[in-house]
Amino acid sequence: MNSRSNAMARPPVKGVLIHYHEIALKGKNRGFFLKQLEANLLQATSDLDCGSLRRPAGRLFLEMREGTSWEVLRQRLSRVFGIANFAHAFMMAPNLELLAKLIEEEVSDRSFRSFRVAARRAFKTFPQTSQQINEMIGARVQRICGASVDLTNPDLTIYIELLPAEAFVYFEKLLGPGGLPVGTGGTLACLLSGGIDSPVAAYRMMKRGCRVVFVHFYSQPFADRTSQEKTIELARLLTRYQFASRLYLVPFGEIQQEVVSRVTGRLRVLVYRRLMLRIAEQIAQKEGAQALVTGESLGQVSSQTIENIAVIEQASTLPILRPLIGMDKDEITQQAQQIGSYDISVIPDQDCCSMFLPRQVATHTTHHEVEFVERPLDLDRLTAQGHAAAHSLELSFPG
Ligand code: ATP
Ligand code: MG
């Protein structure tokens, strides 16, 4: 038997047909991108008892077994960046008669008043045109269901994709999360507070293919454990998109106390933030991270005026990425709700940056001013102290 008659003999296989984003696939990056997407898919579904992952031209097909739950699988795939769309599909031989039979069987269990057939030939070598296939299958469906054809707003769409060695049939196309596979964009260190913004910032960078190491500063013994617990929950939630995370928890209370004793009130928040960046940078270097990420958004709070952002930034030699800089709070909140981080972020806690601050915080600071007030501090020692006291936590998903 040649490979084509082999394919003919195979019964249809149930699974998920996955289409990936085209943008990154052009040129030399294609293999690298795909390999990472495949690895991420296998990791995201590692506990679900799926079958093999196949690579039909320009697509991926993950086989499902009897016990594989579609509901769970669908949730998992909705968090694998790089997937443009996916569908619960049958894979079978590219034979029109077999296709028609399978479709007849499948539609006879469904109730719909109108339908359309959307056939697509990935290669134009198939003897019939897409239109001829639509008409032939459409007539068979009409004969057994009596439903009418509606090309613009049908109750049911029957999707058919034809490749030289296989065909796919499905009835619902689901949107994937888009973006690029995590692991294709380098490593970043994200300053993760327990607030609303920074988890969204981390999410957006993961969506661009980056692995994110999390760094959280907490004010013990001056605050309770809430901010740490919230941040662990947030990191756990975000780990569902990158499958393995490291979270650094940095005790910042004693460092703040020293700042309070030597720096006047109005500039303290900038001094805290600059110390955070210095410590985060050391952690980033240890982790091989190429840039820092924050949840800053221009003008949202007094420390986020362009002057203050510039002054804060000078404390770091690494680039600082601020994916939310041009977003307003409503947009960020909406995204936080979509990700599921919002409900964790709004649990009341004491953010360490709001501790020991006067009512009025400087909004237009200069580099000179902040360097002047930092003079009594031994910055190298404080940075080393924070770095040395940091402890890390490993998180993984699934499991
Ligand atoms: P968020 O909602 O992320 O806390 P925010 O609007 O409250 O942001 P700020 O409190 O000014 O803004 O913090 C700006 C950024 O600094 C945060 O998005 C975060 O990246 C970082 N940051 C602030 N506090 C902490 C902290 N305790 N630990 C780690 N990073 C922090
Ligand atoms: Mg905050």
Side-chain angles (χ1 to χ4, degrees):
M1 261 203 285
N2 63 26
S3 68
R4 177 148 295 208
S5 48
N6 243 334
M8 298 285 188
R10 283 199 308 263
V13 178
K14 265 192 197 180
V16 203
L17 178 65
I18 295 160
H19 290 108
Y20 34 81
H21 265 194
E22 299 294 327
I23 39 165
L25 296 184
K26 309 235 188 305
K28 285 180 285 182
N29 281 336
R30 191 189 168 92
F32 168 64
F33 173 97
L34 261 179
K35 232 168 134 175
Q36 189 66 59
L37 178 59
E38 288 173 14
N40 293 355
L41 270 168
L42 291 174
Q43 180 58 35
T45 56
S46 56
D47 60 336
L48 297 187
D49 190 31
C50 296
S52 61
L53 181 64
R54 307 186 200 199
R55 302 164 186 82
R59 298 146 176 77
L60 293 171
F61 185 81
L62 181 63
E63 201 181 310
M64 286 168 68
R65 298 223 176 94
E66 269 313 306
T68 317
S69 152
W70 169 239
E71 274 318 304
V72 177
L73 187 55
R74 159 187 187 146
Q75 259 184 11
R76 297 286 174 87
L77 298 183
S78 72
R79 295 193 292 256
V80 178
F81 292 127
I83 297 180
N85 59 66
F86 62 101
H88 193 189
F90 292 95
M91 181 174 78
M92 58 192 300
N95 172 297
L96 268 190
E97 184 50 35
L98 294 180
L99 275 166
K101 281 214 172 94
L102 177 106
I103 290 168
E104 280 173 347
E105 234 170 77
E106 286 299 311
V107 297
S108 59
D109 292 342
R110 293 168 187 257
S111 102
F112 55 98
R113 277 180 303 192
S114 59
F115 75 101
R116 77 180 170 119
V117 184
R120 229 177 82 196
R121 299 175 309 161
F123 295 85
K124 305 302 174 199
T125 47
F126 203 74
Q128 286 83 3
T129 65
S130 301
Q131 187 50 29
Q132 286 168 333
I133 299 165
N134 289 344
E135 285 168 12
M136 180 266 190
I137 301 279
R140 297 269 294 252
V141 170
Q142 233 170 353
R143 207 175 308 146
I144 65 159
C145 300
S148 62
V149 172
D150 180 346
L151 297 181
T152 49
N153 191 24
D155 291 345
L156 181 73
T157 299
I158 302 167
Y159 296 93
I160 301 172
E161 290 183 29
L162 289 154
L163 272 53
E166 56 270 287
F168 299 93
V169 177
Y170 52 95
F171 302 93
E172 191 187 11
K173 202 188 310 203
L174 298 166
L175 220 54
L180 304 173
V182 171
T184 59
T187 303
L188 308 172
C190 178
L191 284 85
L192 191 65
S193 72
I196 294 171
D197 305 319
S198 41
V200 177
Y203 167 87
R204 292 184 77 102
M205 295 322 299
M206 292 193 288
K207 186 167 173 177
R208 296 312 300 158
C210 300
R211 283 188 198 291
V212 177
V213 176
F214 305 114
V215 184
H216 175 67
F217 297 86
Y218 64 95
S219 278
Q220 260 179 337
F222 308 106
D224 62 17
R225 282 189 50 85
T226 317
S227 91
Q228 285 180 77
E229 282 157 9
K230 279 173 66 178
T231 307
I232 293 170
E233 268 327 293
L234 289 167
R236 209 186 290 287
L237 185 92
L238 291 166
T239 302
R240 300 186 307 178
Y241 298 90
Q242 63 176 4
F243 317 114
S245 305
R246 186 167 294 152
L247 164 64
Y248 282 87
L249 296 161
V250 186
F252 202 57
E254 284 178 18
I255 296 173
Q256 281 181 293
Q257 215 176 12
E258 200 161 325
V259 173
V260 169
S261 68
R262 291 167 203 264
V263 176
T264 60
R266 286 178 69 251
L267 296 182
R268 261 177 219 156
V269 70
L270 301 181
V271 176
Y272 292 162
R273 217 28 85 59
R274 281 162 61 92
L275 273 162
M276 283 185 182
L277 285 189
R278 292 186 182 97
I279 296 166
E281 180 167 349
Q282 289 208 346
I283 293 172
Q285 256 138 16
K286 188 164 94 185
E287 289 288 329
Q290 292 141 307
L292 303 178
V293 182
T294 73
E296 287 161 310
S297 150
L298 191 63
Q300 198 188 88
V301 290
S302 54
S303 60
Q304 294 175 21
T305 62
I306 194 66
E307 288 88 347
N308 285 356
I309 285 177
V311 164
I312 293 169
E313 173 168 280
Q314 278 156 343
S316 164
T317 63
L318 284 177
I320 300 176
L321 308 182
R322 302 177 183 87
L324 314 186
I325 196 72
M327 289 173 77
D328 55 50
K329 196 76 190 183
D330 286 346
E331 293 169 312
I332 299 170
T333 300
Q334 219 171 38
Q335 183 126 60
Q337 278 161 339
Q338 269 165 18
I339 303 167
S341 58
Y342 183 81
D343 290 342
I344 306 170
S345 294
V346 294
I347 297 169
D349 70 347
Q350 276 179 297
D351 175 23
C352 70
C353 279
S354 59
M355 299 191 90
F356 317 118
L357 289 186
R359 271 181 187 282
Q360 285 285 313
V361 173
T363 50
H364 302 285
T365 318
T366 65
H367 192 208
H368 275 311
E369 285 174 288
V370 83
E371 281 200 333
F372 180 78
V373 298
E374 276 178 350
R375 233 172 253 169
L377 298 170
D378 184 346
L379 294 170
D380 287 344
R381 179 181 53 77
L382 290 173
T383 305
Q385 180 184 327
H387 184 206
H391 51 285
S392 68
L393 215 77
E394 307 291 330
L395 301 164
S396 64
F397 181 85

